[in-house]
């Protein structure tokens, strides 16, 4: 058994090690490859725009994560076409079916990118063109392999003209239409050929060579060689299913419904979770993964241990279906904790409408488990992960709960990710995440950026002002963008773009998004008028950062539109992350 996955960058240690192995195989199997091309592979993954093509690296690994094969696919956006640069099995660990599985994955990716097809070079199997008789059989086997997928050489052009006169075996340009049966037009073919030749041979081509080859493409549409090896074989179609490695890891809390506050006006209801889950699963973008259990040390790394212990003890002693609301607050002498646990609620709370009950600790701790599970999915290679949880968390401070929040799931996950590198937390809930701000206020390794209703009119009223920019080492690493009471999608997008530019300057390894859907029109706790299409644009802009991203659910309370708004956001996020436009 083996697994195929995509490597996006060198964020993870395991990916850096794998790319080093890929480079070693390139040197060993492709003896004529320029060393600069080998060294450029990590740079191409990190900075695709600089190299004109976007490099996409797939690796096939055994159950023990040993590299057994790889493929490097180059993607051009305008026109959208793919060029298969390399595909190879590791001669030391190869096994049957690796090449076919890799090429199927390459075709699947090209289809997802709406590509006109895949182009590649294959050495000629024609004795009249290839003087190296020893490799003719090998060349024929390779062309036969691709012909099984419908890929055949483009004929009646000068592409096979050697760049240097003594080249004993010039290549064909092979085209795979991905089973679309759509003819390749002359104009597109000329654009593609010019791009390929300039990238691969621009430094070594004699003057006028590329122009002559491009001008030789006269057929419209271009012609492909008649099938020679796989005449009767059925070409496998490119399926519409999204590849497993591009799906969003979904972690849904399974204890959210035990926390049900029936008091009038309490909008943070259990119905929020199924309304979102039912809608997003219809998109086909998600793969649900099981929840892992995490010890309290993750809680206590972010929250005051006394606060964690208090919540656990007080909730365990409250009668079922009873809720305790804080009503006494220690403004005069905060140094003295009340002895009575229910009375002590005000010592650890920031408002009067977030109750304690028998289930608050248990459900909040489970939400943390979900966020950490999703964070570990990102650390293990998932590009996108979503913790669909309640209660929310971004109002929970180091030693205080409030705003329906008990533990700050997003902050705990961000702190966990920060052990591997810098993290940016982007809070797009309608309300300011005072808890996240407070937790990271003195740190420079976690950038916090929040777009929210101005505290002049929006909860929590006492934080979220623009001049709150961090302290000590964290000075300048807390960015608040308080926004006006009336705001439409177009205006919001401009502010979001500004926030994303700040995040790009910080250049984090990981991004945590505190997702509030209460920015949408008619939410009972918000005042803005963002529509579903605006939320999709938000997602696309955020996905365009192309960082491993964890999304943690925060607010959003209009049950009728929650599912639609969530699904549109994630459609945009997925599209921005996997179908870049630059």
């Amino acid at each position: 058994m083996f697994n195929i996955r995509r490597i996006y960058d060198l964020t993870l240690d395991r990916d850096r090690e794998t790319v080093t192995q890929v480079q070693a195989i390139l040197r060993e199997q492709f003896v004529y490859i320029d060393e600069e091309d080998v060294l450029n592979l990590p740079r191409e993954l990190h900075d695709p725009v600089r190299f004109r093509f976007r490099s996409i690296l797939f690796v096939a690994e055994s159950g023990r994560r040993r590299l057994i094969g790889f493929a490097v696919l180059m993607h051009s956006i305008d026109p959208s076409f793919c060029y298969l640069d390399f595909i190879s099995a590791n001669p030391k660990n190869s096994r049957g079916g690796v090449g076919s599985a890799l090429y199927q994955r390459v075709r699947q990716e090209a289809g997802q990118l709406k590509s006109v097809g895949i182009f590649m070079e294959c050495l000629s199997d024609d004795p009249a063109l290839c003087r190296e008789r020893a490799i003719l059989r090998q060349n024929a086997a390779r062309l036969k392999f691709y012909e099984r997928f419908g890929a055949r050489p483009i004929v009646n052009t000068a592409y096979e003209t050697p760049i240097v006169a003594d080249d004993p075996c010039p290549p064909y340009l092979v085209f795979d239409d991905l089973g679309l049966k759509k003819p390749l037009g002359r104009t597109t073919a000329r654009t593609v050929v010019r791009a390929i030749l300039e990238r691969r041979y621009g430094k070594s081509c004699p003057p006028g060579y590329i122009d002559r080859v491009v001008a030789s493409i006269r057929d419209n549409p271009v012609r492909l060689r008649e099938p020679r090896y796989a005449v009767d074989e059925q070409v496998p179609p490119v399926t519409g299913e999204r590849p497993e490695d591009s799906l969003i890891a979904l972690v849904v809390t399974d204890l959210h419904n035990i926390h049900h506050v029936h008091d009038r006006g309490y909008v943070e209801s259990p119905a929020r979770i199924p309304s979102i889950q039912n809608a997003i699963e219809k998109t086909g973008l998600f793969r649900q993964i099981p929840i892992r259990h995490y010890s309290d040390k993750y809680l206590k790394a972010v929250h005051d241990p006394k606060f964690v212990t208090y919540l656990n003890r007080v909730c365990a002693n409250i009668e079922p279906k009873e809720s305790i609301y804080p009503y006494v607050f220690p403004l005069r002498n905060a140094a003295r904790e009340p002895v009575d646990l229910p009375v002590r609620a005000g010592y650890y709370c920031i408002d009067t409408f977030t109750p304690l009950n028998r289930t608050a600790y248990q459900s909040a701790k489970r939400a943390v488990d979900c966020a950490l599970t999703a964070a570990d999915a990102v650390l293990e290679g998932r590009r996108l992960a979503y913790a669909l949880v309640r209660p929310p968390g971004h109002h929970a401070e180091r030693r205080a709960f409030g705003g329906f929040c008990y533990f700050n799931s997003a902050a705990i996950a961000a702190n966990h990710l920060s052990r591997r590198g810098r993290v940016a937390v982007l809070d797009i809930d309608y309300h300011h995440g005072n808890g996240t701000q407070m937790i990271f206020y003195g740190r420079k390794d976690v950038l916090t950026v929040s777009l929210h209703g101005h505290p002049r009119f929006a909860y929590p009223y006492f934080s979220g002002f623009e001049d709150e920019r961090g302290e000590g080492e964290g000075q300048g690493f807390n960015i608040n963008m308080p926004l006006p009471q009336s705001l439409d999608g177009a205006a919001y997008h401009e502010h979001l773009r500004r926030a994303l530019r700040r995040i790009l300057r910080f250049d984090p390894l990981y991004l945590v998004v505190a997702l509030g859907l209460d920015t949408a029109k008619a939410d009972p706790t918000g005042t803005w008028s963002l529509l579903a299409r605006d939320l999709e644009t938000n997602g696309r802009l955020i996905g365009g950062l192309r960082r491993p991203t964890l999304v943690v659910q925060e607010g959003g309370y209009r049950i009728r539109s929650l599912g639609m708004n969530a699904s549109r956001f994630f459609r945009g996020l997925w599209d921005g992350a996997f179908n870049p436009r630059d």
Side-chain angles (χ1 to χ4, degrees):
M1 293 292 292
F2 58 88
N3 174 60
I4 294 177
R5 67 184 181 92
R6 178 177 170 184
I7 294 180
Y8 294 89
D9 50 41
L10 303 186
T11 298
L12 303 177
D13 291 340
R14 62 179 283 204
D15 289 345
R16 287 194 290 272
E17 295 169 2
T18 301
V19 169
T20 299
Q21 294 178 57
V22 169
Q23 290 173 306
I25 296 173
L26 283 171
R27 294 185 180 100
E28 181 179 345
Q29 291 201 11
F30 300 89
V31 292
Y32 296 111
I33 191 172
D34 192 316
E35 178 64 14
E36 184 180 357
D37 291 336
V38 177
L39 296 175
N40 275 341
L41 180 58
R43 302 169 197 163
E44 291 170 356
L45 294 173
H46 178 71
D47 186 12
V49 176
R50 175 183 171 189
F51 294 90
R52 294 184 57 189
F53 284 77
R54 185 165 62 107
S55 293
I56 303 172
L57 173 62
F58 297 106
V59 295
E61 296 172 322
S62 67
R64 296 182 179 180
R65 292 185 176 176
R66 291 179 179 173
L67 180 68
I68 59 176
F70 69 90
V72 180
L73 184 70
M74 315 297 291
H75 176 235
S76 169
I77 292 174
D78 187 18
S80 180
F81 74 90
C82 291
Y83 177 76
L84 182 60
D85 211 1
F86 299 101
I87 185 168
S88 176
N90 186 343
K92 298 177 182 178
N93 295 292
S94 62
R95 59 187 66 186
V98 172
S100 293
L102 277 168
Y103 190 62
Q104 284 279 36
R105 180 64 182 87
V106 163
R107 296 182 88 227
Q108 204 172 16
E109 187 71 17
Q112 291 290 328
L113 292 169
K114 304 293 190 294
S115 173
V116 299
I118 300 172
F119 296 82
M120 70 200 84
E121 286 189 348
C122 287
L123 295 180
S124 173
D125 58 351
D126 185 348
L129 287 174
C130 185
R131 301 196 307 272
E132 292 193 0
R133 298 292 187 265
I135 65 170
L136 274 173
R137 182 177 297 179
Q138 179 182 336
N139 296 351
R142 185 171 290 112
L143 286 162
K144 179 179 180 180
F145 169 83
Y146 289 118
E147 197 171 290
R148 285 169 34 212
F149 296 91
R152 290 176 280 143
I154 295 175
V155 297
N156 201 27
T157 77
Y159 197 91
E160 297 84 15
T161 303
I163 293 177
V164 292
D166 60 347
D167 188 342
C169 195
Y172 292 132
L173 183 64
V174 176
F175 176 62
D176 180 351
D177 70 355
L178 306 177
L180 298 174
K181 307 300 182 185
K182 184 178 180 180
L184 177 64
R186 178 177 56 206
T187 300
T188 299
R190 285 181 169 182
T191 302
V192 169
V193 167
R194 182 176 295 279
I196 291 172
L197 292 176
E198 286 179 349
R199 185 192 181 281
R200 292 220 65 179
Y201 307 110
K203 295 179 181 178
S204 56
C205 287
Y209 175 87
I210 294 176
D211 289 337
R212 288 195 298 274
V213 173
V214 170
S216 74
I217 303 172
R218 299 186 178 89
D219 295 328
N220 190 26
V222 299
R223 292 166 48 201
L224 303 183
R225 191 173 79 176
E226 291 299 314
R228 182 173 294 181
Y229 302 106
V231 178
D232 299 322
E233 290 195 32
Q234 192 72 24
V235 176
V238 175
T239 66
E241 294 182 5
R242 291 180 174 85
E244 174 67 29
D245 58 328
S246 73
L247 296 178
I248 303 170
L250 172 64
V251 190
V252 184
T253 179
D254 55 352
L255 296 181
H256 76 93
N257 56 352
I258 67 173
H259 182 63
H260 193 180
V261 179
H262 295 275
D263 297 344
R264 186 175 183 181
Y266 198 86
V267 296
E268 208 284 287
S269 72
R272 298 175 62 232
I273 299 299
S275 67
I276 293 174
Q277 184 178 3
N278 292 339
I280 64 174
E281 287 184 341
K282 295 176 183 176
T283 65
L285 297 175
F286 294 85
R287 175 75 72 228
Q288 188 166 348
I289 61 176
I291 307 168
R292 302 175 187 173
H293 172 75
Y294 295 80
S295 71
D296 284 356
K297 73 176 185 180
Y298 294 91
L299 288 172
K300 295 175 180 177
V302 166
H303 293 290
D304 187 327
K306 289 184 177 180
F307 167 65
V308 175
T309 301
Y310 166 75
L311 272 186
N312 192 2
R313 287 180 58 201
V314 69
C315 291
N317 286 284
I318 298 174
E319 293 295 323
K321 298 185 179 179
E322 179 184 353
S323 292
I324 295 174
Y325 287 87
Y327 63 94
V328 177
F329 296 87
L331 294 177
R332 295 186 178 177
N333 192 349
R336 294 183 178 270
E337 297 182 19
V339 175
D340 187 64
L341 287 178
V343 174
R344 204 185 300 174
Y347 187 80
Y348 286 116
C349 193
I350 62 174
D351 59 40
T352 60
F353 59 81
T354 304
L356 293 176
N357 55 35
R358 175 67 71 91
T359 61
Y361 179 90
Q362 191 178 5
S363 58
K365 172 61 169 63
R366 195 60 163 172
V368 170
D369 285 345
C370 291
L372 288 170
T373 300
D376 275 337
V378 170
L379 289 174
E380 291 162 5
R382 288 280 186 175
R383 203 62 178 174
L384 302 174
Y386 176 34
L388 176 52
V389 298
R390 65 170 292 271
H394 71 148
H395 294 306
E397 299 181 349
R398 176 165 171 75
R399 59 179 307 278
F401 67 96
F404 308 143
C405 306
Y406 301 94
F407 294 133
N408 198 320
S409 301
I412 293 168
N415 185 64
H416 179 52
L417 291 170
S418 72
R419 298 171 185 173
R420 301 287 189 90
R422 294 196 296 183
V423 177
V425 180
L426 174 64
D427 194 323
I428 54 172
D429 190 277
Y430 175 81
H431 307 90
H432 177 244
N434 55 287
T436 309
Q437 170 176 300
M438 183 266 186
I439 288 165
F440 296 115
Y441 207 60
R443 291 174 56 171
K444 65 179 181 180
D445 61 324
V446 178
L447 174 72
T448 52
V449 181
S450 178
L451 293 81
H452 50 268
H454 200 287
R456 285 195 309 266
F457 58 83
Y459 184 89
Y461 307 109
F462 59 83
S463 74
F465 295 92
E466 199 166 4
D467 60 359
E468 297 165 0
R469 296 185 52 78
E471 63 184 9
E473 285 191 350
Q475 179 66 39
F477 293 94
N478 185 82
I479 309 298
N480 284 327
M481 300 175 64
L483 304 177
Q485 196 160 4
S486 297
L487 196 71
D488 63 10
Y492 187 90
H493 298 152
E494 289 306 309
H495 294 293
L496 178 59
R497 288 186 178 95
R498 184 159 58 94
L500 297 178
R501 287 195 292 269
R502 177 63 183 90
I503 291 172
L504 279 174
R505 290 199 301 275
F506 181 67
D507 193 22
L509 285 180
Y510 302 101
L511 176 68
V512 175
V513 178
L515 174 63
L517 298 170
D518 44 6
T519 57
K521 185 177 181 179
D523 188 275
T525 68
T527 62
W528 296 342
S529 57
L530 275 67
L531 304 175
R533 64 172 179 266
D534 299 318
L535 296 174
E536 183 169 344
T537 299
N538 291 349
R540 185 174 293 109
L541 291 171
I542 294 168
L545 288 178
R546 297 177 208 156
R547 296 296 193 278
T549 299
L550 163 64
V551 180
V552 180
Q553 188 60 48
E554 297 291 350
Y557 306 101
R558 188 171 186 259
I559 304 300
R560 287 177 54 192
S561 58
L562 268 182
M564 175 180 63
N565 289 334
S567 60
R568 292 290 291 272
F569 172 82
F570 281 105
R571 285 182 189 277
L573 183 72
W574 189 92
D575 192 45
F578 293 107
N579 293 327
R581 286 160 168 71
D582 59 18

